Amino acid sequence: MKPHSLLMILFGATGDLAARKLYPAIYRLYKNNHISEHFALIGTARRPWSDNHFRQVVLDSIADQVDDPDHAQEFASHFYYQSNDVTDSDHYIHLQELAQKLDQQYQTQGNRIFYISLSPKLFPVITSQLKAQGLLTNQGYNRLIIEKPFGYDYQTAAELQAQLTQTFKENQIYRIDHYLGKEAIASIKNIRFNNTLFAPLWNKKYIDNIQISLAEDIGVEDRGAYYESSGVVKDMIQNHALQILALLTMDEPVSQTSEDFRKAKINILQHLRPFQSPDQVNSNVVRGQYGPSLDGHLKGYRQEENVASDSTTETFVAAKISINLPQWEGVPIFIRSGKRMDQKSTTINVIFKGLNESEMTNRLSIEIAPKLGYQLFLNIKEPGYSNANKVIPFSYELNSDQASYMPQDYERLIYDCIEGNLSNFTHFEEVANAWKFVDSIYENWEKMETSDFPNYPAGCPGPKKAQELLAKHQTYWY
Ligand SMILES: NC(=O)C1=CN([C@@H]2O[C@H](COP(=O)(O)OP(=O)(O)OC[C@H]3O[C@@H](n4cnc5c(N)ncnc54)[C@H](OP(=O)(O)O)[C@@H]3O)[C@@H](O)[C@H]2O)C=CC1
Ligand SMILES: O=C1O[C@H](COP(=O)(O)O)[C@@H](O)[C@H](O)[C@H]1O
């Protein structure tokens, strides 16, 4: 495979995400020869770093993956730093001079990826300056990778879209949802559409319910200030959980193009049944906030740094979602996500209807994290004289060696962007419809009494009401 030619300009190069995720991802692409000598990266932020200091930061961030220090040094030599306040238009002139020089030096063929990894408030000023100061090239491609959150509700997302599209067309905008870079999530379409065992059964006639569980054992860590303005619904449901829901319920795309793939997801997200009243939210959505753990070892959310002592931000949510399409009528999709639950467990369960009362239902389980694996639960006869039914799992789990070769989330997504493949990036219509649904929860919560927070101790599976939500459907969280 021929390595790609490209110049990447990264806004927010001194930030947390860049060091923890982006440099390691780009290094893996370099190690796997997807990018090599015709690649350069300009990192920008306000801190007055030198190229050498920047390269050292990059080397530190990849230290645990380096097996050849000379090769790592060679990788770091492709990194350049320019101190830049994104609100200052003069800086874009210097940025363009450096970009043009590196285009020549690395023969990047005019291919540019602009990666914006800083506060969402600054997204529009950057894109408008890129246009005004002529940083988009006429040869090659210009692509924008943009971090989350994309707006704070439908209205602000629409405003942001209007601003970005003054510079970039929709098909040049790569909105990151890092869950779409996960191996098991990328595999959902193969499981659904490439197995005769599943494709004809994937509808209301055979599926009883679907469960998507994004449980975390960590708390808000040092992101209290961000989390106070977010909460779990905006942090995990609007994006990751609803994307998984769309992948699990969309029709088979009419072609393999990213356009048709995203159209299929848009159709689902447009048909999520919004909540119309506080009563509907009350019976279908459970919210929670963690308090201190029972042994006092873990802090409560209100005791976290930069969190108000009377905060009403939700750190847990469970919801029963319905899709307003004939093929999904009557099939509940249960989703839940929370901080400081008893374990990290990111799983999908598709529960099929039983054929009769004596048989257990079939279930497909996809484990996304901490392990990566798939299990299909089937009925057999109890081995031996008995004719009783027995449920057994057919399992496939990647071992740690195999898992270490899998592209990591950001690695896969940056690779896809370099390839010009938009499939694993969210279209504006996906984001907009997800916001409309989520807004219907918040609008009704605003009309309701604030819950009795905190209502679950850190280190437990969430509030009891989340179990009751499923019990009403004669099921439980798998
Ligand atoms: N960190 C994470 O785990 C995740 C982050 N994200 C998203 O990624 C983005 C970046 O997050 P994160 O790295 O955590 O944020 P940080 O606060 O760690 O970094 C912000 C970056 O922006 C730079 N910056 C701030 N103001 C300016 C300015 N006026 N001009 C130029 N540079 C500026 C900062 O550098 P300096 O101070 O030197 O100017 C720094 O490099 C956000 O959109 C966030 O929502 C998404 C998922 C997870
Ligand atoms: O987007 C986010 O995701 C992480 C969880 O991601 P995972 O890949 O570890 O499952 C979450 O902790 C964070 O709050 C949120 O912003």
Side-chain angles (χ1 to χ4, degrees), residues 12-18 20 45-47 84-86 117-118 120 122-123 147-149 223 410:
T14 60
D16 171 69
L17 185 76
R20 275 194 312 111
R46 289 167 305 186
R47 268 161 256 193
N84 172 8
D85 188 316
V86 295
S117 173
L118 36 66
L122 298 169
F123 294 170
E147 270 301 331
K148 71 162 205 178
R223 295 168 74 216
Y410 277 89

Side-chain angles (χ1 to χ4, degrees), residues 211-386:
Q211 300 180 12
I212 301 166
S213 189
L214 315 181
E216 298 193 84
D217 52 358
I218 55 170
V220 290
E221 302 187 298
D222 56 358
R223 295 168 74 216
Y226 152 76
Y227 207 83
E228 277 286 87
S229 64
S230 170
V232 71
V233 174
K234 292 185 184 179
D235 191 46
M236 296 291 283
I237 302 298
Q238 186 274 341
N239 38 35
H240 313 319
L242 293 185
Q243 279 297 317
I244 298 173
L245 181 155
L247 287 165
L248 287 168
T249 53
M250 69 183 189
D251 287 344
E252 182 164 9
V254 295
S255 82
Q256 303 282 336
T257 61
S258 53
E259 194 185 351
D260 284 328
F261 186 72
R262 301 200 299 176
K263 263 189 196 160
K265 281 195 287 166
I266 291 168
N267 186 44
I268 292 295
L269 294 165
Q270 272 172 343
H271 286 92
L272 298 179
R273 191 169 295 153
F275 298 107
Q276 311 276 14
S277 65
D279 273 357
Q280 280 188 8
V281 168
N282 209 14
S283 13
N284 293 293
V285 185
V286 174
R287 57 178 157 167
Q289 185 192 78
Y290 62 86
S293 60
L294 294 174
D295 63 3
H297 176 64
L298 299 169
K299 279 187 219 167
Y301 176 68
R302 289 176 177 176
Q303 286 75 52
E304 302 277 13
E305 210 176 317
N306 297 321
V307 169
S309 56
D310 57 352
S311 172
T312 55
T313 301
E314 82 289 352
T315 62
F316 175 95
V317 74
K320 176 182 164 190
I321 298 180
S322 308
I323 301 173
N324 239 339
L325 284 169
Q327 64 271 35
W328 291 113
E329 200 191 317
V331 182
I333 322 283
F334 295 108
I335 56 173
R336 71 172 168 175
S337 182
K339 296 277 185 202
R340 279 281 185 244
M341 293 175 65
D342 52 338
Q343 54 175 326
K344 169 78 179 174
S345 171
T346 313
T347 49
I348 294 166
N349 278 285
V350 179
I351 295 103
F352 292 86
K353 290 183 173 164
L355 285 176
N356 58 53
E357 285 192 0
S358 67
E359 285 174 13
M360 292 293 287
T361 55
N362 297 129
R363 173 163 64 96
L364 171 69
S365 180
I366 303 176
E367 188 172 355
I368 301 158
K371 290 194 174 141
L372 174 51
Y374 309 87
Q375 286 190 306
L376 180 60
F377 293 86
L378 297 177
N379 291 286
I380 62 161
K381 188 184 81 60
E382 172 89 51
Y385 294 111
S386 164

Side-chain angles (χ1 to χ4, degrees), residues 61 109 121 152 181 188 219 232 262 335 358 365 388 445 458 465:
S61 75
Q109 301 180 4
K121 288 193 297 270
Y152 304 99
I188 293 174
V232 71
R262 301 200 299 176
I335 56 173
S358 67
S365 180
W445 272 349
K465 279 188 177 163

